[in-house]
Amino acid sequence: MNAFRDAGHLFRLAGVFAAGVLLFLVLRSFLVPKSFGEYGHYRGNALAEIAARPVNFAGHETCETCHADVLEKKRDGKHAHVNCEACHGPLAKHADDPSSVTPAKLDAAVLCVRCHEANAAKPKSFPQVVSADHSNGLPCDTCHQPHSPAIAAEPAK
Amino acid sequence: MQGVEGFMYPNEVELQWSVLIVLYPFLTGLVAGAFILASLERVFNVEAVKPTYRLALLTALAFLLIAPLPLQLHLGHPERSFEMYLTPHTTSAMAMFGFVYLWYLMAVLVLEIWLDYRRDIVLLSQSTTGVTRLIYRAMTLGSSNISERALHIDERAGWLITVIGIPSAFLLHGYVGFIFGSIKANPWWSSPLMPVVFIFSAMVSGIATVMLVYMFLTWSRKQTIDMRCVDTVARYLFYIFIIDFTLEMLDLIHRIYESDESFRSLDFMVHTKLYVSHIVVQIFLGTVTPILLLGATQVLNLTDRARKRIYGLAGCLTLIGIFAMRWNVVIGGQLFSKSFLGYTTYKMGLVTREGLLTAIVLTVLPLVILWVLVKLLPPWPERHTRPDSVIAHAR
């Protein structure tokens, strides 16, 4: 009995710890979203929330329904598998209302080097140039047709 | 590109882990080392280091409270870090560390300090007034039982906690080495020796810190430094430093002998970009010199005054050396390219969130906390009120 009395402070300490753990568990039950762990180690509701976000990209199939001529140009070129919106940007709003939302004109001098500026980290087989030396400041589309960029493939004008 | 030599992959050009990530293992190491020094007296019955026992515990607590701050300041969203307690992922070493940290802080350090100081706290709660009295009363948890039997129970419980605390301290700092050692994509870090090297370097830095703090505080209080105590602490520092240096050299020799595909690149880095911080500061200035200085105090018959100066100098050099070791691990591991063909440069910000000023503040802050703790819970031998009969009975 005496041992219990003399260890009373340790029981008080254990009580403080227990209260701390309890407080943590109560807080945890409030702070952890209910849908956490529903599918994996994340908030289950996040899937629905992400799905509900507005669509920005129309997808190349949508573009091709109107711009069949571009598809024709691209088909045999090096950019055949580059999606329209990779260069033109997300255009779902344009697809929804083509007459009032028109995409901005692209600046080939800025756009092309994003992929084709020479960098030792890129595979050697990938076409790349030191733009300052290669075009002498001229925009790329002076010589290259972006939808089918190989110059040899250009039909004679 | 400025500061970049040879071929770097684009994502390697800028260093992601800054000086704060250097500071983090440095601070954590001081905690583990200080605690292990404290355990010498408690578990291994090294009576000579008794004057540093409480100071070592308070030092460990002061540094442990600040240790996570460098990580918090590194995070883009520090407020989210709490989520690792709410929804921990068992495969995340960082998340598991959160629990190791909490365990060490609450179940080991705070508990041991409380048990050791309980008699003082009760007496102080009766002798002080005002707000201080309230603080001490809260710390007593409403129990003022300081009977011999109650203190005996405290002593036994404290001993048990220290025994649990030693592997916990190893776990705490071994984890920091583990975080680096387990990154298999980085040959500078990926080594199973990393946790062991980190633990021993932690012990070295912690013991050096407590030695310096003890000497400084005793000097500032115009008291006599207990040379038997400092000699013993310095002797332990010397032995552990030799083990630490041997392990680091073992790691180095192993790397040289193994000479894997990364070796030439890392060797070049050590001889160029890391030469000053690794060879000059870490190895010669921060390891070999203090070992020789401490060795000299063991071999030569020096006066107290000379030994004190040597301990002071060796302690400071040790801390510089251990900081340089953390620097070379963290920063060095990010200076070379995975292609082994290029090197980048670390440009430290000065007055930025992860810059030099923040690092200095985070280094000084634990000392401020230590000052407050020392005021609140005086660790001095004359206030050391554990009756020897109780201690003898407990063992």
Side-chain angles (χ1 to χ4, degrees), chain B residues 202-216:
Chain B
M203 284 157 75
V204 168
S205 64
I207 293 173
T209 305
V210 175
M211 184 176 79
L212 289 175
V213 169
Y214 170 72
M215 284 168 64
F216 175 77

Side-chain angles (χ1 to χ4, degrees), chain A residues 6 9 12-13 28 41, chain B residues 86 111 118 141 145 149 154:
Chain A
D6 287 329
H9 57 284
R12 283 169 191 257
L13 185 75
R28 189 178 182 275
H41 200 81
Chain B
L86 299 175
L111 209 56
R118 212 177 61 78
L141 301 181
N145 184 356
R149 174 83 190 143
D154 287 353

